């Protein structure tokens, strides 16, 4: 059997990673002459943002983003034009002219 390039397989793997996620963990110890010098503990989570927030990862980031969005929405409502030029200032025809 000859290996073949299958684009659908890559898309399927990517779909599973984004939907379900994966956790990668690695412990590395750097030693010289059997004397441990440096220890490294690595953990990486790979998933879509919906999955990450569902499992509580990036919870602080998600909360701050939602709070910012709500405050922007409230600010937009309280200040109607918020420094935006009006149609008259832009010199654009607003379509209300009747000939």
């Amino acid at each position: 059997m000859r290996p073949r390039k299958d684009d659908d397989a890559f898309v399927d793997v990517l779909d599973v990673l984004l939907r379900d996620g994966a956790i990668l963990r690695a412990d590395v110890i750097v030693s010289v002459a059997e004397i441990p010098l440096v220890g490294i503990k690595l953990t990486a989570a790979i998933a879509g943002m919906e999955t990450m927030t569902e499992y509580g990862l990036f919870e602080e980031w998600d909360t701050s983003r939602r709070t910012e969005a709500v405050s922007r929405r409230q600010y937009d409502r309280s200040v109607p034009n918020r420094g935006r030029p009006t149609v008259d200032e832009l010199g654009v025809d607003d379509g209300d002219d009747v000939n």
Side-chain angles (χ1 to χ4, degrees):
M1 178 182 237
R2 300 181 77 190
R4 62 186 174 94
K5 183 178 179 181
D6 190 3
D7 291 334
D8 292 336
F10 177 72
V11 171
D12 291 340
V13 168
L14 190 59
D15 181 49
V16 169
L17 273 178
L18 292 176
R19 184 186 64 233
D20 298 333
I23 303 285
L24 307 172
R25 291 196 171 122
D27 296 326
V28 178
I29 298 174
V30 178
S31 59
V32 175
E34 295 186 24
I35 300 172
L37 299 174
V38 178
I40 303 170
K41 184 179 234 24
L42 302 171
T43 302
I46 301 170
M49 285 308 295
E50 184 176 330
T51 303
M52 292 283 221
T53 54
E54 180 181 325
Y55 285 103
L57 302 168
F58 293 106
E59 188 171 339
E60 185 178 312
W61 175 85
D62 185 49
T63 303
S64 69
R65 297 290 293 192
R66 290 174 188 264
T67 303
E68 289 172 10
V70 168
S71 65
R72 272 195 310 268
R73 224 175 281 130
Q74 290 172 347
Y75 180 73
D76 283 346
R77 288 182 187 149
S78 66
V79 181
N81 288 329
R82 219 177 68 154
R84 296 180 186 137
T86 63
V87 174
D88 294 332
E89 292 172 341
L90 291 174
V92 177
D93 181 18
D94 61 2
D96 289 341
D97 296 338
V98 178
N99 291 333

